[in-house]
Amino acid sequence: MKVSSLLTASAFAAGAVAQAFEDVDFNVTEALLQNHFDVTLAPELLEFVNNGQLGSKRSLPEPCATACKSLKAVYGSSKLISQGTTEYTAFQAAYWSNQQASVSPRCVFKPSEPIEVSSTVLISRLTQCPFAVRGGTHASFAGASSIEGGITLSMENLNQIKVSSDKKTVDVGPGNRWASTYQALENHGLAVVGGRMSPVGVPGLVLGGGFSFFSNKLGWACDNVAAFEVVTASGRIITANATLFPDLYWALRGGGNNFGIVTNFKLYAFEQGKMWGGQRIYAENQFEKVKDAIFKFGNETSSTDTDAAQIVSFAAIPRLGNVAITQLHYAKPVASAPIFSDFNVIPAISDNTDVRLLSELAILMNEGSHDTGLRQVMWDVTFKLDRGIFDFLTATFFAAVPSLSDVEGLFAAISIQAITEGQLTGMQRNGGNALGLKPEKGPFFIMNMGSSWTNPTDDSRLYKFLNDITETVKAYAKSKGIDNDFVYLNYASEFQDPIASYGADNVERLRAISRKYDPGQVFQRLQPGGFKLSGGPPNQSEP
Ligand SMILES: Cc1cc2nc3c(=O)[nH]c(=O)nc-3n(C[C@H](O)[C@H](O)[C@H](O)COP(=O)(O)OP(=O)(O)OC[C@H]3O[C@@H](n4cnc5c(N)ncnc54)[C@H](O)[C@@H]3O)c2cc1C
Ligand SMILES: *[C@@H]1O[C@H](CO)[C@@H](O)[C@H](O)[C@H]1NC(C)=O
Ligand SMILES: *[C@@H]1O[C@H](CO)[C@@H](O)[C@H](O)[C@H]1NC(C)=O
Ligand SMILES: *[C@@H]1O[C@H](CO)[C@@H](O)[C@H](O)[C@H]1NC(C)=O
Ligand SMILES: *[C@@H]1O[C@H](CO)[C@@H](O)[C@H](O)[C@H]1NC(C)=O
């Protein structure tokens, strides 16, 4: 069914010069009928239809019960998961974080066509039942891709992976995760700029930015999207690229879930064979050398060989003590390339680096991680790259960790990831992204903290722990003149406001684009979860 062309044709039939994207008298029922959504199949829905018609305020059936029932009636029970079923329990348990798993939607809808996504948005508008969109489930806080009492729209069946005939791009559905995406592309000798850990979802990572093994060469994942297919608030299915709806194309590169539901990512593909990479763990007596190497790589040498990537995390590990967990990757099948010479000479207590496929590296990097079942939090801030602050942040972190010794199942790490000159250059592709990072002010680094634990009763202690470290290091950075506003959305906690960190101009531009494509502010009001364009952090209480 080509509803996209139908709707586009009708909307532009008048050929108006400056016609609004959505008519002021936009008729939701009419749009549903254009989707061939038979509103008569669920009698309760007709009450909402008629209510709109009469403009009256009669008492209506329960919105979400009606919305769920109508999706089931029209699209079939195999696409709908109801509360109280084993399928529902399994769906909930599959969230990466337990905070998200404990949010209970009225139902889960699993569309397999963009038009079904479109109808869901329209049904939500008609009934005012709120919704959330779930991709790979890896957003950590409650409500980011889950919704209490509403509809969780699971993208899992929109999972195409289709390489274009010229092999320059690949269509990747939002139901995909990175390891399987890489595996499918390896059959063609190709890769894309995407996530580094196997189970993470394509949509959340790309829409929020997307730090990759290839970023020093090509920029972030969002900088390597040729086009988005997106369902807008009025149910239109449109393509946004550098020439079609270019403002929306810009907004989707960092703007998260605020502009529509993406039903396809057309990603730039490139030839890629085997690579090299893995993890080296260094003991505390090597920290000075490790930090020197991180700094030199981020500040200078990364520009001399952009095939190289690194992330270093510091953590206290039982039996090992304080360690530096170094992830080194190289886009060619070359072991311990000269670019890593500063790391190569440091004696490691373990080393699993080897020549492997990209998918194998993504799976390896996830090894030992819990994919479900734990409390989770991530927190990040960005600073100008500086050698001194590395010492300050590790000292602050390791001094605070013992205070959590009684937290059951605790894991906590603090990571340094440089935003190098190469990344900042890549971010200028296609007119630049929405993140607002200024190349002339770089290089920067992200200080990212992650923690997992067992009991909800420890939540607030963990949040306070990470917030305190953040504030302490931020104060130090301010005193040294190396502070920077940017907060990376995909690593941000519910107590942070990453979109505000993109800068006032970008925020205003994003809001204007939102008003243009979504005058009813459907993606702000009816999809309340995640990071929104206004209103501050998702959770406004004190951490
Ligand atoms: C173990 C782990 C490893 C990670 N590694 C990396 C990494 O290497 N690089 C990096 O940059 N980040 C990384 N991240 C962060 C990651 O980018 C975010 O967690 C991201 O939100 C995950 O996306 P998802 O689709 O899995 O999550 P979800 O929780 O399903 O979705 C995240 C957000 O995207 C929205 N969304 C989902 N699908 C759509 C859609 N189709 N249209 C519109 N909005 C949608 C959701 O509503 C939600 O707000 C990692 C996170 C974890 C937990
Ligand atoms: C909206 O469209 C439906 C279906 O075409 C129609 O019955 C209804 O009268 C319209 N509502 C308004 C307010 O125009
Ligand atoms: C945008 O998409 C349209 C339709 O697919 C295509 O014709 C056009 O070439 C694309 N523009 C760019 C810059 O890729
Ligand atoms: C960082 O890199 C720049 C440019 O390459 C160089 O001039 C500068 O000396 C480096 N800073 C330090 C502290 O090494
Ligand atoms: C916000 O955070 C507080 C403090 O941890 C917590 O008690 C509360 O449940 C959170 N609110 C929401 C809506 O998640």
Side-chain angles (χ1 to χ4, degrees):
M1 245 170 306
K2 262 271 157 261
V3 69
S4 44
S5 47
L6 186 73
L7 292 183
T8 310
S10 63
F12 292 113
V17 188
Q19 187 174 356
F21 185 81
E22 179 180 311
D23 289 339
V24 276
D25 56 353
F26 176 70
N27 183 327
V28 177
T29 307
E30 186 57 43
L32 275 167
L33 292 176
Q34 284 189 3
N35 277 3
H36 305 288
F37 189 99
D38 186 350
V39 292
T40 64
L41 285 178
E44 294 93 332
L45 197 61
L46 284 175
E47 299 197 34
F48 289 90
V49 170
N50 295 332
N51 188 58
Q53 218 163 21
L54 303 171
S56 65
K57 282 273 166 283
R58 293 179 297 148
S59 86
L60 287 164
E62 208 280 307
C64 291
T66 306
C68 291
K69 212 168 167 179
S70 13
L71 289 167
K72 189 174 181 175
V74 172
Y75 293 127
S77 53
S78 69
K79 291 183 182 177
L80 200 103
I81 308 178
S82 303
Q83 279 184 343
T85 61
T86 51
E87 210 188 347
Y88 184 95
T89 310
F91 180 88
Q92 291 293 99
Y95 278 98
W96 180 64
S97 91
N98 260 3
Q99 289 97 320
Q100 290 239 74
S102 53
V103 174
S104 308
R106 176 79 199 206
C107 68
V108 174
F109 180 57
K110 301 190 288 184
S112 47
E113 299 291 336
I115 194 171
E116 297 171 358
V117 176
S118 163
S119 297
T120 310
V121 172
L122 296 169
I123 285 291
S124 166
R125 287 184 74 160
L126 188 60
T127 60
Q128 297 290 297
C129 171
F131 65 93
V133 179
R134 166 168 130 168
T137 82
H138 278 71
S140 54
F141 59 88
S145 45
S146 54
I147 177 90
E148 190 63 43
I151 307 165
T152 297
L153 210 56
S154 175
M155 297 285 110
E156 64 200 81
N157 292 333
L158 287 159
N159 58 359
Q160 67 162 337
I161 299 177
K162 215 170 110 221
V163 175
S164 67
S165 52
D166 64 4
K167 293 192 163 194
K168 295 239 161 65
T169 59
V170 51
D171 288 311
V172 180
N176 290 294
R177 306 203 184 196
W178 292 108
S180 45
T181 302
Y182 296 149
Q183 280 161 351
L185 294 176
E186 279 157 6
N187 298 330
H188 303 264
L190 300 173
V192 292
V193 179
R196 296 168 296 195
M197 284 171 83
S198 47
V200 174
V202 169
L205 184 133
V206 173
L207 290 167
F211 214 121
S212 155
F213 295 139
F214 306 107
S215 286
N216 289 335
K217 185 163 49 180
L218 297 167
W220 284 16
C222 69
D223 306 311
N224 291 276
V225 181
F228 300 88
E229 180 184 73
V230 52
V231 172
T232 66
S234 40
R236 282 172 65 182
I237 304 164
I238 61 173
T239 295
N241 66 13
T243 45
L244 296 171
F245 307 109
D247 49 358
L248 184 59
Y249 174 60
W250 174 81
L252 288 166
R253 288 175 290 146
N257 70 8
N258 285 293
F259 300 91
I261 302 176
V262 175
T263 46
N264 187 59
F265 296 87
K266 189 182 283 298
L267 305 178
Y268 295 125
F270 51 89
E271 284 178 23
Q272 182 62 49
K274 282 198 170 180
M275 309 173 45
W276 175 85
Q279 171 178 292
R280 287 182 186 154
I281 298 183
Y282 299 107
E284 190 164 19
N285 59 1
Q286 304 298 340
F287 279 7
E288 285 308 301
K289 283 183 191 149
V290 171
K291 286 185 257 183
D292 286 347
I294 305 170
F295 177 78
K296 201 164 134 198
F297 178 86
N299 183 53
E300 278 183 278
T301 53
S302 55
S303 316
T304 65
D305 187 346
T306 57
D307 279 320
Q310 63 160 42
I311 319 165
V312 182
S313 303
F314 296 86
I317 308 276
R319 288 193 301 278
L320 289 182
N322 295 347
V323 294
I325 304 163
T326 307
Q327 306 287 343
L328 301 176
H329 290 89
Y330 196 66
K332 295 192 181 102
V334 176
S336 302
I339 177 90
F340 293 126
S341 58
D342 294 328
F343 288 102
N344 297 339
V345 298
I346 310 173
I349 54 179
S350 76
D351 183 347
N352 68 14
T353 55
D354 206 345
V355 171
R356 295 180 173 97
L357 291 166
L358 171 58
S359 62
E360 294 169 339
L361 289 167
I363 290 164
L364 181 71
M365 200 157 148
N366 193 57
E367 218 164 66
S369 307
H370 288 264
D371 287 341
T372 58
L374 292 175
R375 312 297 291 176
Q376 301 280 359
V377 66
M378 290 201 275
W379 213 295
D380 81 288
V381 275
T382 305
F383 303 113
K384 180 134 181 64
L385 200 74
D386 173 77
R387 178 64 186 81
I389 197 172
F390 292 175
D391 291 332
F392 188 84
L393 70 88
T394 50
T396 306
F397 177 78
F398 284 119
V401 165
S403 72
L404 298 176
S405 61
D406 59 325
V407 172
E408 197 183 320
L410 178 74
F411 177 77
I414 190 164
S415 310
I416 297 174
Q417 302 188 64
I419 304 180
T420 61
E421 189 187 320
Q423 289 172 40
L424 293 162
T425 304
M427 286 188 187
Q428 309 316 306
R429 258 182 126 165
N430 294 311
N433 61 36
L435 303 178
L437 283 163
K438 303 254 185 308
E440 64 278 13
K441 296 209 170 148
F444 310 99
F445 77 98
I446 299 178
M447 180 183 101
N448 168 36
M449 291 180 286
S451 194
S452 54
W453 64 100
T454 310
N455 297 317
T457 46
D458 287 321
D459 288 5
S460 50
R461 280 179 73 191
L462 264 296
Y463 301 155
K464 187 167 163 23
F465 167 79
L466 297 183
N467 187 55
D468 287 352
I469 294 173
T470 303
E471 297 205 332
T472 305
V473 181
K474 216 166 165 58
Y476 170 92
K478 280 193 176 132
S479 76
K480 301 285 177 190
I482 52 171
D483 189 28
N484 183 71
D485 287 339
F486 180 66
V487 172
Y488 176 32
L489 184 150
N490 281 337
Y491 294 157
S493 76
E494 66 194 293
F495 305 100
Q496 298 184 280
D497 189 355
I499 291 176
S501 82
Y502 298 176
D505 289 353
N506 282 11
V507 171
E508 196 31 62
R509 198 170 153 195
L510 288 167
R511 286 187 187 147
I513 293 165
S514 162
R515 286 191 298 269
K516 171 176 167 189
Y517 291 95
D518 182 9
Q521 296 291 280
V522 169
F523 290 103
Q524 305 303 305
R525 293 187 190 130
L526 285 169
Q527 188 209 34
F531 298 104
K532 300 283 102 172
L533 292 177
S534 55
N539 188 327
Q540 310 215 348
S541 63
E542 276 293 306

